[in-house]
Amino acid sequence: MLRCRLRDAGRRHHDGGPRLGDGVTLTDEQRVDWLRLIRSENIGPRTFRELVNHFGGARAALDALPALARRGGAARPGRICPPDEAAAELKAARALGVQFVALGEPDYPLRLQMIDDAPPLLAVRGNRAVLARPLVAIVGSRNASAAGAKFAQSLARQLGEAGFGIVSGLARGIDAAAHHASLASGTVAVLAGGHQKLYPPEHAELAEAILEQGVTLSEMPLAWEPRARDFPRRNRLISGLSLGVVIVEAARRSGSLITARLAGEQGREVFAVPGNPLDPRAEGTNGLLKQGATLVTAAADVIAVLEPIMGRSIELPPAREPEPRAPPEAEPGDDERARIVGLLGPTPTSIDDLVRLSQSSPAVVRTVLLELEIAGRLERHGGALVSLL
Amino acid sequence: MLRCRLRDAGRRHHDGGPRLGDGVTLTDEQRVDWLRLIRSENIGPRTFRELVNHFGGARAALDALPALARRGGAARPGRICPPDEAAAELKAARALGVQFVALGEPDYPLRLQMIDDAPPLLAVRGNRAVLARPLVAIVGSRNASAAGAKFAQSLARQLGEAGFGIVSGLARGIDAAAHHASLASGTVAVLAGGHQKLYPPEHAELAEAILEQGVTLSEMPLAWEPRARDFPRRNRLISGLSLGVVIVEAARRSGSLITARLAGEQGREVFAVPGNPLDPRAEGTNGLLKQGATLVTAAADVIAVLEPIMGRSIELPPAREPEPRAPPEAEPGDDERARIVGLLGPTPTSIDDLVRLSQSSPAVVRTVLLELEIAGRLERHGGALVSLL
């Protein structure tokens, strides 16, 4: 996993200036560039990071995109977000009381910063102080049982009183119960769509109430209508923000289990509330318990596990010297590019294997992958695996 | 823990004859002596074993009882079961189809034989073949929920079909559900009272049905009316017979949790069925899960743990030479006896400490303890601890 700090064009434009990840804030100009880059086609959080590291900043990466896409064999050039569109989004956000917090800025949630695919920009609305608190997620079935909702409420209230911010997904059922019970202490609703497209719509009032002591938070454009696939993507933020995730009720193949899996991959604690084996809403949670999740029947069970972790300072990845810009010899030749592309297929392959089999340098392989990605031809999986689309 | 094999007077009366524990059966005469000894006042399974080992057999122990009680300082001599009473019980048992199986006999359940306080005689009624099968206990609340009872049934049926005999306590609720569902495959009801005093009385029909493919089993006299304290005592047989114990529903301080604790002490597997934290009938089982019990939502969870154990042959304790009769010098003098008694009090003390502090030989200490016990002045606890009553 690549967990290097981002450096930005800022370093190039303002020689000797502070680097990102050191707790300094972006300039307005940089923020527009960051927003343009992450809103451009085929650019996800990982590609964003690769590009900024490779080119030394968002502006330089934007400038390089057309050439990269062409070399990656794009059928048509990917859409690059124009400056006025980004500026308009920033303006609309301000009007709505939404602030964009950039990876590495002091307000960016520290634990979220640790994940592989942390969003470069988080659109945050409300009382941001909650994000500095120790956070714990409570998630579960949309069609929760009365007992499940009641339990989620009592757990959220008690953990809130114990000083935790409660993270959830604003969904019906368990999520809503967890938010409701932690309105006073502070709660974080992570949205799958944009701030202007709350889902489900009937939770608009709940979302407003959350802003008093907590926040709503999204990585998507303000007007983004959430699609089915945005929910699992969103779930990585729920777990990534939190010290641990409590799954209250979950059927066999539910979104909550995706959150649990992501939590495990991110090294977060996974908690599950047991249920009667004949209750289909307990199938998922009982399954998690069999796999080693911590059994929760009371807030104390969660606190007992998280308290020792809270005390510990967050393990920041070792500070690295920023990688130098790829030297000229790292630019792949056409043969080399063709050889690397030839090694790829629909089956996920590790980048290490590509380096070994292509006999190219890691820098060259990385460049070719970046080109393919920007051309919309590459999919990145977890564990440094890639496949051709 | 004393896990030596029993030897009996048989060896003295029939010189060179086979020893108990070698899979041979008692003579009729010996069975009367065994029954008399275990039915005598202040003689529990552990004392029985001590006495038979000390005196070389039940008959010799019976002969020695009055003198032992006197030396132990009995206020009044403990009642010794007369021969005709034992003979009458054996006759009544035969009429009822109840057979007494002695510890060490081929029909005595092998795993039960391994426990510290295995009953010297088991009164067994029904189809004894079930006792040779791998056994698993299913126990739980008397006031079971519909879901709990249904789960117990499905578990018992599936484990029965997988070849396990199902052990339980004939109680209302979970126990009855487990027996009912395993009538066809074979089930073992362990009684807290005697065979003539089934509890609860409304389960007489269920008990009859059990006899077809299974057994009812008791260590108590045929006409023994079960008292409250006989139930936890009985529970050690439920766990002792079984490879593992599944607790289906259990409130915070329930008898099922006693069975679970005993199972743990006996080295048996402990399984628990999860339940909603708001359901008081799940408090006990969820608590067991927190303590490391295996979570069960299906028969496969039980089989996965027990199958490897079944394959393994039972670890019999290493065969020991029978201890010689206590040599004359092991008989304690009055001063020595007084010194050992003086070290005892209401707080449980380890026998090792007594030996050390009294500076008497282990044989002498054991003799004094035996005398006190037979005099009704000593209580034995687990882990070789004793206290004065």
Side-chain angles (χ1 to χ4, degrees):
Chain A
M1 278 196 294
L2 274 175
R3 283 192 172 160
C4 48
R5 297 177 184 195
L6 280 174
R7 49 189 194 132
D8 188 65
R11 222 171 39 85
R12 285 172 67 214
H13 293 303
H14 314 280
D15 259 349
R19 271 191 285 126
L20 292 180
D22 292 338
V24 296
T25 54
L26 295 186
T27 64
D28 288 350
E29 191 192 348
Q30 284 174 328
R31 205 175 305 271
V32 171
D33 289 340
W34 276 46
L35 192 56
R36 285 184 64 204
L37 185 56
I38 191 64
R39 295 289 185 249
S40 293
E41 203 175 355
N42 297 327
I43 312 292
R46 282 198 187 86
T47 317
F48 182 99
R49 192 183 288 231
E50 286 268 326
L51 283 169
V52 170
N53 281 332
H54 191 80
F55 291 99
R59 169 67 58 90
L62 284 163
D63 292 344
L65 282 182
L68 286 169
R70 204 166 43 242
R71 285 205 295 274
R76 52 163 192 83
R79 183 174 183 280
I80 296 175
C81 173
D84 53 348
E85 191 179 306
E89 189 179 349
L90 283 167
K91 192 178 164 198
R94 260 196 304 278
L96 205 62
V98 170
Q99 278 201 284
F100 282 98
V101 182
L103 193 62
E105 289 189 323
D107 278 0
Y108 199 95
L110 263 183
R111 292 200 183 258
L112 185 60
Q113 192 164 338
M114 301 296 105
I115 74 171
D116 218 23
D117 47 0
L121 286 167
L122 280 183
V124 183
R125 188 179 185 200
N127 186 338
R128 284 188 283 168
V130 71
L131 293 173
R133 304 245 298 278
L135 300 175
V136 60
I138 300 178
V139 298
S141 302
R142 285 188 298 277
N143 66 336
S145 70
K150 192 176 158 194
F151 183 81
Q153 270 167 17
S154 114
L155 190 68
R157 187 169 42 247
Q158 289 173 54
L159 289 172
E161 284 163 4
F164 290 91
I166 306 300
V167 182
S168 197
L170 200 70
R172 298 184 185 98
I174 298 298
D175 288 21
H179 286 306
H180 269 296
S182 54
L183 286 175
S185 57
T187 185
V188 177
V190 186
L191 311 175
H195 281 280
Q196 291 170 332
K197 302 283 180 182
L198 290 181
Y199 185 85
E202 69 265 31
H203 283 174
E205 209 171 314
L206 172 59
E208 277 302 321
I210 284 172
L211 304 180
E212 191 78 25
Q213 297 298 329
V215 298
T216 54
L217 182 156
S218 166
E219 66 176 319
M220 307 306 276
L222 287 182
W224 187 266
E225 189 83 60
R227 305 151 303 173
R229 68 167 180 227
D230 294 323
F231 291 88
R233 173 189 169 138
R234 178 273 314 266
N235 291 351
R236 86 188 195 287
L237 305 184
I238 292 180
S239 52
L241 283 161
S242 308
L243 290 154
V245 176
V246 185
I247 322 290
V248 177
E249 277 185 334
R252 193 196 294 255
R253 291 159 200 272
S254 60
S256 307
L257 294 187
I258 296 176
T259 311
R261 179 174 56 74
L262 293 167
E265 288 172 9
Q266 293 167 351
R268 305 306 194 252
E269 299 297 325
V270 180
F271 301 89
V273 178
N276 189 291
L278 300 179
D279 182 352
R281 281 174 291 222
E283 262 189 76
T285 51
N286 287 339
L288 290 172
L289 292 170
K290 287 185 192 174
Q291 290 163 48
T294 300
L295 190 142
V296 174
T297 61
D301 299 324
V302 177
I303 295 170
V305 172
L306 295 189
E307 221 163 28
I309 306 176
M310 283 161 54
R312 225 180 291 151
S313 65
I314 294 179
E315 279 175 39
L316 280 161
R320 275 199 211 168
E321 279 308 294
E323 295 169 36
R325 280 196 63 161
E329 61 270 28
E331 294 297 336
D334 286 349
D335 284 3
E336 209 168 8
R337 181 178 291 110
R339 196 165 63 240
I340 294 168
V341 174
L343 288 169
L344 283 163
T347 309
T349 309
S350 87
I351 296 175
D352 285 349
D353 281 351
L354 285 179
V355 170
R356 196 168 45 77
L357 294 169
S358 68
Q359 301 189 317
S360 297
S361 72
V364 161
V365 169
R366 213 158 46 226
T367 302
V368 171
L369 294 179
L370 205 48
E371 291 167 359
L372 289 169
E373 198 166 10
I374 285 154
R377 294 177 61 199
L378 192 85
E379 188 175 357
R380 285 188 192 268
H381 310 267
L385 297 177
V386 291
S387 67
L388 221 48
L389 286 172
Chain B
M1 278 196 294
L2 274 173
R3 280 191 174 164
C4 49
R5 295 175 183 198
L6 281 173
R7 50 189 193 133
D8 191 62
R11 222 170 40 89
R12 285 171 68 214
H13 294 302
H14 315 279
D15 261 349
R19 272 191 287 125
L20 292 179
D22 292 338
V24 296
T25 55
L26 295 185
T27 64
D28 288 350
E29 192 192 347
Q30 284 174 327
R31 202 173 308 267
V32 172
D33 290 339
W34 276 47
L35 191 57
R36 285 184 63 203
L37 185 57
I38 191 63
R39 294 289 185 251
S40 293
E41 204 176 354
N42 298 327
I43 312 291
R46 283 198 186 86
T47 319
F48 182 99
R49 193 184 289 229
E50 284 270 324
L51 284 168
V52 169
N53 281 333
H54 191 79
F55 292 99
R59 169 66 59 89
L62 284 163
D63 293 345
L65 282 183
L68 286 169
R70 203 166 44 243
R71 284 204 294 275
R76 53 166 191 79
R79 184 175 184 280
I80 295 175
C81 172
D84 53 348
E85 193 179 304
E89 190 181 346
L90 284 166
K91 193 179 163 199
R94 259 194 305 277
L96 205 63
V98 170
Q99 277 202 286
F100 283 97
V101 182
L103 193 62
E105 289 189 323
D107 277 0
Y108 198 95
L110 263 184
R111 290 196 186 260
L112 185 60
Q113 192 164 337
M114 301 296 106
I115 74 170
D116 219 23
D117 48 358
L121 286 167
L122 280 181
V124 184
R125 187 178 186 201
N127 186 339
R128 284 188 285 166
V130 72
L131 293 173
R133 304 245 298 277
L135 300 175
V136 60
I138 299 177
V139 299
S141 303
R142 285 189 298 278
N143 67 335
S145 70
K150 192 175 159 194
F151 183 81
Q153 270 168 15
S154 114
L155 190 68
R157 186 169 44 248
Q158 288 173 53
L159 288 172
E161 284 165 3
F164 290 91
I166 306 299
V167 181
S168 197
L170 201 69
R172 299 182 185 100
I174 298 297
D175 288 22
H179 287 306
H180 268 296
S182 54
L183 286 175
S185 57
T187 185
V188 177
V190 185
L191 311 175
H195 281 279
Q196 291 170 332
K197 302 282 179 181
L198 290 181
Y199 185 86
E202 70 264 33
H203 282 174
E205 211 171 309
L206 172 58
E208 278 300 321
I210 284 172
L211 304 179
E212 191 79 26
Q213 297 298 329
V215 297
T216 54
L217 180 156
S218 167
E219 65 176 319
M220 305 307 276
L222 287 181
W224 188 267
E225 189 82 59
R227 305 151 304 171
R229 68 167 181 227
D230 294 323
F231 291 89
R233 174 190 168 134
R234 178 274 314 265
N235 291 350
R236 83 189 197 286
L237 306 184
I238 292 180
S239 51
L241 283 160
S242 307
L243 291 154
V245 175
V246 185
I247 322 291
V248 177
E249 277 185 336
R252 194 195 292 253
R253 291 157 200 273
S254 60
S256 306
L257 295 188
I258 297 176
T259 310
R261 180 175 55 75
L262 293 167
E265 289 172 8
Q266 293 167 351
R268 306 305 194 251
E269 299 298 326
V270 180
F271 301 89
V273 178
N276 190 291
L278 300 179
D279 182 351
R281 282 174 291 222
E283 263 189 74
T285 50
N286 287 340
L288 290 171
L289 291 170
K290 287 186 192 174
Q291 291 163 47
T294 301
L295 190 142
V296 174
T297 61
D301 299 323
V302 177
I303 295 170
V305 171
L306 295 189
E307 220 163 29
I309 308 177
M310 284 162 54
R312 225 180 292 151
S313 66
I314 295 179
E315 280 174 38
L316 280 161
R320 277 198 210 167
E321 277 308 294
E323 295 169 35
R325 279 196 63 163
E329 61 270 28
E331 294 298 337
D334 286 347
D335 284 2
E336 207 168 11
R337 181 178 292 111
R339 198 165 60 240
I340 294 168
V341 174
L343 289 168
L344 283 164
T347 309
T349 309
S350 88
I351 296 175
D352 285 348
D353 281 350
L354 285 179
V355 170
R356 196 168 46 77
L357 294 168
S358 67
Q359 303 191 316
S360 296
S361 72
V364 162
V365 170
R366 210 156 49 224
T367 302
V368 172
L369 293 178
L370 206 47
E371 292 167 359
L372 289 169
E373 198 166 9
I374 285 154
R377 295 178 60 200
L378 192 86
E379 188 176 356
R380 287 188 190 267
H381 310 267
L385 296 176
V386 292
S387 66
L388 221 49
L389 286 172

